[in-house]
Amino acid sequence: MSPMQTIRTLEGAFVNLRGGAAGNIESDLVQENSVRNQKDLIRALGANKSEKAIQRSCRATDTVSDEKIEISTSVRKVSSWHQTPARIKDNEVIANSLRDLRPFSKTIGRVCQGMPNVMCSPVRKINSVDLKFRIKQVVDRLYYGHTINFDHESSEEDC
């Protein structure tokens, strides 16, 4: 092909439906989505599938899709996951109270049954050689498809 034909062929392979830079979509994908939307509308006709009704629904497919209706009516999608950001003052209150309580300091008579060897600061006594060895063990185990670690040794030290 000539250079001009190459450019025309590449430009014809993509469609920019929304505009803007880098908003190109493959034209094959656009056609597949259009056919899927047409099939959905035809199924929605139910028992009233006359030739005329199918033609009307297929002509209106691109404007009737849910996305276009929501965009044109400015309806926002309802989120199923809600998150409220933590307030800065709440975080400060919690941090100050934890500093006062010192929950990881040793207290006579107070023992955590599940983790008897818990340290005051987990990052205080890191042995980089042991850490690298342990990471290599986990990577090797996962590489070979073993998802459960049967090694139950704990090398944590007390404060």
Side-chain angles (χ1 to χ4, degrees):
M1 282 197 249
S2 69
M4 187 57 134
Q5 285 177 328
T6 305
I7 291 171
R8 286 184 181 167
T9 304
L10 287 174
E11 286 178 352
F14 293 95
V15 179
N16 193 335
L17 297 177
R18 294 184 183 95
N24 298 329
I25 303 170
E26 293 179 19
S27 55
D28 294 342
L29 182 62
V30 172
Q31 185 63 32
E32 286 177 18
N33 290 338
S34 177
V35 169
R36 188 191 66 219
N37 291 338
Q38 288 175 3
K39 287 182 180 180
D40 288 343
L41 281 177
I42 291 171
R43 276 190 219 109
L45 289 174
N48 300 328
K49 289 183 186 141
S50 67
E51 189 68 31
K52 209 171 205 178
I54 291 173
Q55 286 176 357
R56 283 182 189 151
S57 65
C58 288
R59 281 189 213 127
T61 300
D62 293 331
T63 56
V64 176
S65 68
D66 294 337
E67 232 177 70
K68 304 260 176 145
I69 293 173
E70 289 173 358
I71 290 170
S72 65
T73 57
S74 300
V75 174
R76 298 175 74 189
K77 284 187 177 180
V78 177
S79 175
S80 61
W81 182 60
H82 301 284
Q83 179 181 3
T84 306
R87 304 283 178 231
I88 295 172
K89 286 190 176 186
D90 292 342
N91 288 343
E92 288 176 3
V93 168
I94 292 171
N96 290 336
S97 63
L98 284 175
R99 261 188 227 107
D100 293 340
L101 291 174
R102 298 273 184 216
F104 293 108
S105 62
K106 292 287 182 184
T107 305
I108 298 172
R110 191 175 94 187
V111 178
C112 179
Q113 299 292 334
M115 295 180 278
N117 297 329
V118 69
M119 296 186 295
C120 293
S121 173
V123 293
R124 199 164 117 205
K125 296 180 182 178
I126 292 180
N127 185 347
S128 62
V129 176
D130 289 342
L131 178 66
K132 288 177 185 176
F133 178 74
R134 185 67 183 132
I135 289 173
K136 184 177 177 345
Q137 279 183 331
V138 171
V139 168
D140 290 343
R141 179 176 48 83
L142 293 174
Y143 178 75
Y144 291 113
H146 302 290
T147 56
I148 299 174
N149 184 8
F150 296 106
D151 186 8
H152 294 295
E153 56 184 290
S154 62
S155 61
E156 296 173 353
E157 298 176 13
D158 292 338
C159 294

